[in-house]
Amino acid sequence: METTEIRAFGAETSESSLKQITIPRREPTPADVEIEILFCGVCHSDLHTARNDWGGTKYTAVPGHEIVGRVTRVGTEVSKFKVGDLAAVGCLVDSCRECASCKQDLEQYCIPGFTGTYNGKDKYLGGHTFGGYSEKVVVTEHFVLKVPENLDLAAAAPLLCAGITVWSPLKHWNVGKDSTVAVVGLGGLGHMAIKLAKALGAHVTLFSRTPGKEKDALELGADAVVISTDDDQMASVKGKFDLIIDTVPYVHDVNHYVATLAISGTIVLVGYLGPLDPMLNSVPMILGRKSVAGSVIGGIAETQEMLDFCGEHNIVSEIEVIEMQDINEAYERMLKSDVRYRFVIDMASLKN
Ligand code: NAP
Ligand code: ZN
């Protein structure tokens, strides 16, 4: 298959910094859309992958799955996009399209497995997929999203992962006007969860371990802030929430939050992947019919629904725009929660 070499930023090992490299992109097939990447958000998953936190990273790793840009070429079978259109790509670039999950628009739960935008198995070129820290991307039309024209393009990029990852559980658990929702962690996912839950009409509380984020949280739409390290504050919200979205990336005590669920309430883990420590105590779950659940990103139709909702409600991410060359420093700052609230790379800097 014909390819072109393009510029990208990637890590060669789990210990190395990201640096400029070249990668191949396939020539668009009849079903493909080619997109010049204008902005790419920086997700904590990018860092986990570059540093092999989850195991299984294939190198050279080129992260980036919050991609917005302009269509530069389309294949002959493409009907929804034309050259010059705005377009976006999130965490998925392919799936089997035939299994029970894919047939229900749940490509993120594709039974044989979806193809991730990075570190996935590249069905076309062999090897693994390369993400959005690059000049352009070529993606089959079904996995390309439309971006509402009224949204600031850089600030819309994080909707493609941070936005959909919290939107999907908010919708699945039917959050609306009478819901009482809490969000754990005010980072990229957390700040989008506050904005989206609020726009759906919920009463929203932020759990943060960082005193000093209260003012921001209220400005983002939270109705209340609870400092999770303060036992009195935690006790004051015992039995309160219908749904908690937990975005914390590292192991932490989930029992702490189960206590704040209302009867039949659910805490959805979207941040940490791995065994819980301390273990879950089933007693409050059984006595209160409470659930501990998980959720991964969202399907393509649901992602489009979220983007359209954000267009109607003028919702975007709070961002700090960086140059591609600043990515290693951005990762260090993200580890210290020193980002309000998403880094977005201006991909024009890759041409520097
Ligand atoms: P982020 O911007 O770094 O935000 C994480 C927030 O969690 C921080 O701002 C901090 O909030 C809190 N936090 C960080 N370290 C903590 C610790 N050790 N203990 C307690 N709280 C801590 O990260 P993100 O981009 O939002 O991503 C969050 C997680 O979701 C990552 O693990 C990422 O890989 C994962 N993710 C999952 C999916 C999915 O589909 N399930 C999709 C995207 C990302 P406070 O300072 O307010 O406490
Ligand atoms: Zn992500």
Side-chain angles (χ1 to χ4, degrees):
M1 182 162 218
E2 243 188 285
T3 61
T4 36
E5 290 291 313
I6 61 158
R7 278 187 243 198
F9 247 66
E12 270 157 9
T13 72
S14 59
E15 272 89 46
S16 50
S17 302
L18 277 74
K19 62 169 197 195
Q20 191 169 318
I21 53 166
T22 58
I23 55 164
R25 287 283 186 217
R26 69 175 181 268
E27 282 293 295
T29 70
D32 282 335
V33 178
E34 180 192 71
I35 300 161
E36 179 198 6
I37 303 175
L38 298 175
F39 296 99
C40 184
V42 179
C43 179
H44 208 109
S45 305
D46 299 356
L47 184 159
H48 287 310
T49 302
R51 299 190 176 178
N52 200 23
D53 287 348
W54 296 325
T57 299
K58 300 187 186 64
Y59 293 94
T60 301
V62 176
H65 58 202
E66 294 182 339
I67 297 169
V68 291
R70 253 186 218 286
V71 174
T72 44
R73 285 193 284 174
V74 292
T76 49
E77 292 166 11
V78 168
S79 61
K80 289 186 303 190
F81 293 91
K82 58 181 193 319
V83 172
D85 284 354
L86 289 178
V89 177
C91 308
L92 306 170
V93 289
D94 216 338
S95 70
C96 83
R97 317 272 307 267
E98 285 172 356
C99 71
S101 297
C102 287
K103 284 199 168 131
Q104 293 174 77
D105 292 328
L106 296 169
E107 298 91 343
Q108 75 275 35
Y109 302 114
C110 173
I111 292 161
F114 66 77
T115 306
T117 304
Y118 56 78
N119 206 45
K121 191 164 179 275
D122 190 323
K123 289 182 193 168
Y124 296 84
L125 301 182
H128 60 279
T129 52
F130 297 116
Y133 298 1
S134 58
E135 286 177 89
K136 64 179 183 180
V137 66
V138 177
V139 179
T140 190
E141 179 180 23
H142 179 76
F143 292 85
V144 182
L145 287 310
K146 290 194 182 280
V147 187
E149 298 272 347
N150 60 312
L151 297 181
D152 177 88
L153 200 55
L159 300 177
L160 277 300
C161 174
I164 183 60
T165 299
V166 297
W167 175 261
S168 186
L170 289 170
K171 294 300 280 187
H172 182 75
W173 276 276
N174 297 315
V175 165
K177 208 159 45 58
D178 301 319
S179 311
T180 310
V181 172
V183 175
V184 189
L186 187 59
L189 269 55
H191 91 291
M192 287 314 308
I194 292 177
K195 288 191 182 205
L196 292 170
K198 191 67 197 172
L200 288 168
H203 182 280
V204 186
T205 297
L206 170 72
F207 285 116
S208 175
R209 64 192 169 140
T210 314
K213 287 187 178 173
E214 293 93 333
K215 186 167 164 282
D216 283 6
L218 299 178
E219 280 172 14
L220 290 164
D223 298 287
V225 179
V226 170
I227 299 300
S228 52
T229 48
D230 181 321
D231 292 342
D232 293 338
Q233 288 194 35
M234 288 302 282
S236 73
V237 288
K238 194 164 177 269
K240 186 174 167 77
F241 303 109
D242 303 318
L243 184 72
I244 302 177
I245 298 188
D246 182 338
T247 75
V248 173
Y250 299 100
V251 70
H252 58 290
D253 188 356
V254 173
N255 296 296
H256 215 48
Y257 300 104
V258 171
T260 70
L261 286 173
I263 304 302
S264 307
T266 301
I267 178 167
V268 189
L269 306 178
V270 295
Y272 170 66
L273 272 178
L276 292 174
D277 183 19
M279 281 192 264
L280 279 177
N281 179 359
S282 68
V283 176
M285 292 164 63
I286 289 172
L287 296 183
R289 197 165 62 184
K290 297 177 181 181
S291 307
V292 177
S295 183
V296 74
I297 46 175
I300 295 299
E302 198 177 33
T303 305
Q304 191 62 61
E305 173 196 66
M306 178 272 314
L307 286 167
D308 296 344
F309 179 89
C310 288
E312 277 160 38
H313 295 262
N314 228 340
I315 295 173
V316 286
S317 178
E318 303 301 310
I319 61 165
E320 179 178 336
V321 176
I322 61 169
E323 304 211 325
M324 189 67 259
Q325 293 76 6
D326 301 329
I327 190 67
N328 295 301
E329 191 196 331
Y331 280 3
E332 292 312 312
R333 286 184 51 198
M334 187 154 64
L335 279 174
K336 292 187 224 138
S337 296
D338 175 24
V339 45
R340 298 198 170 192
Y341 281 93
R342 199 63 147 183
F343 291 117
V344 172
I345 307 161
D346 179 351
M347 295 310 301
S349 59
L350 192 52
K351 301 194 173 86
N352 290 345

